[in-house]
Amino acid sequence: MKLSDKGYDLIKKFEGYSDRPYKCPAGISTIGYGNTYYPNGTKVKITDKQITREYANEILAHTADEFAADVLKLVKSKISVNQLNALTAFAYNVGMGNFQKSTLLKLVNVNPNDAMIAKEFLKWNKAAGKELKGLTNRRIAESALYFTKWE
C-alpha cells in the first residue's frame, strides 16, 4: 500500500511551501514542505540556498514515502489508504519516534476503527509546549481523513 494524493496534499496544506530555509515553530531549520533533511540525508541549514517548487515536491515525495513505509511497519492491523494517509501526515509532523510510542498507534493496532483515535490525534497540538491553532486544525483534518471511508 502507498500514499495517495490525499496524503501528499494534506502534508502540503499544513506544512506550506517555502523555497528558502526557515525556523519552524519548534526552532528547527526547514525548507520546502516542512522538510528538515534532503533526500541524501543532509540536514537543512538556515544558510542553505533557495530551492524550486519542483525540487520541494521531490523532497516531499521521497520523505513522505519513507514515512509511509515506516508507518506500515509499525501498524499491525489492517488499515485503509486514507488511514495510511492520515497516519503518515501525523508522523511526518511529530516524528517517527513520537508516533512509535504514541497511544494513537497503540489504539490503531488494537482496533483501527476505535472512535478514541480521534481524541488521540487532538492531543498532539503543541510545539515547544505551546498549543498552536494551526496544529489543532491539522489534527482535526488528519482525524477527518483517517475516518473517511472512501478514497
Side-chain angles (χ1 to χ4, degrees), residues 11-70:
I11 293 169
K12 283 181 176 183
K13 176 182 178 181
F14 285 100
E15 293 294 341
Y17 167 71
S18 178
D19 62 354
R20 299 175 192 276
Y22 65 93
K23 294 282 186 181
C24 74
I28 300 167
S29 294
T30 306
I31 199 164
Y33 294 103
N35 291 96
T36 56
Y37 288 87
Y38 296 102
N40 67 5
T42 304
K43 198 171 191 174
V44 173
K45 296 185 295 298
I46 202 70
T47 55
D48 289 348
K49 65 181 180 177
Q50 181 176 0
I51 63 171
T52 64
R53 189 175 294 269
E54 291 76 25
Y55 185 49
N57 283 323
E58 287 176 34
I59 299 170
L60 170 68
H62 173 84
T63 306
D65 289 350
E66 284 185 343
F67 271 86
D70 289 343

Side-chain angles (χ1 to χ4, degrees), residues 7-144:
Y8 299 113
D9 291 346
L10 183 62
I11 293 169
K12 283 181 176 183
K13 176 182 178 181
F14 285 100
E15 293 294 341
Y17 167 71
S18 178
D19 62 354
R20 299 175 192 276
Y22 65 93
K23 294 282 186 181
C24 74
I28 300 167
S29 294
T30 306
I31 199 164
Y33 294 103
N35 291 96
T36 56
Y37 288 87
Y38 296 102
N40 67 5
T42 304
K43 198 171 191 174
V44 173
K45 296 185 295 298
I46 202 70
T47 55
D48 289 348
K49 65 181 180 177
Q50 181 176 0
I51 63 171
T52 64
R53 189 175 294 269
E54 291 76 25
Y55 185 49
N57 283 323
E58 287 176 34
I59 299 170
L60 170 68
H62 173 84
T63 306
D65 289 350
E66 284 185 343
F67 271 86
D70 289 343
V71 165
L72 286 170
K73 287 177 192 167
L74 294 171
V75 171
K76 304 303 179 201
S77 57
K78 186 176 185 213
I79 60 171
S80 70
V81 172
N82 280 334
Q83 288 170 327
L84 174 63
N85 288 332
L87 294 172
T88 300
F90 175 80
Y92 188 96
N93 182 243
V94 304
M96 284 309 301
N98 285 325
F99 175 67
Q100 186 171 8
K101 62 186 179 186
S102 71
T103 302
L104 173 61
L105 176 60
K106 289 178 184 132
L107 291 176
V108 168
N109 281 334
V110 170
N111 175 6
N113 299 310
D114 186 340
M116 293 300 295
I117 291 169
K119 290 184 180 182
E120 289 303 316
F121 275 107
L122 287 171
K123 289 181 180 178
W124 294 82
N125 66 346
K126 297 174 185 67
K130 194 173 171 191
E131 187 173 323
L132 299 178
K133 180 70 172 154
L135 284 178
T136 300
N137 291 340
R138 181 179 186 142
R139 299 302 170 240
I140 291 167
E142 289 164 349
S143 180

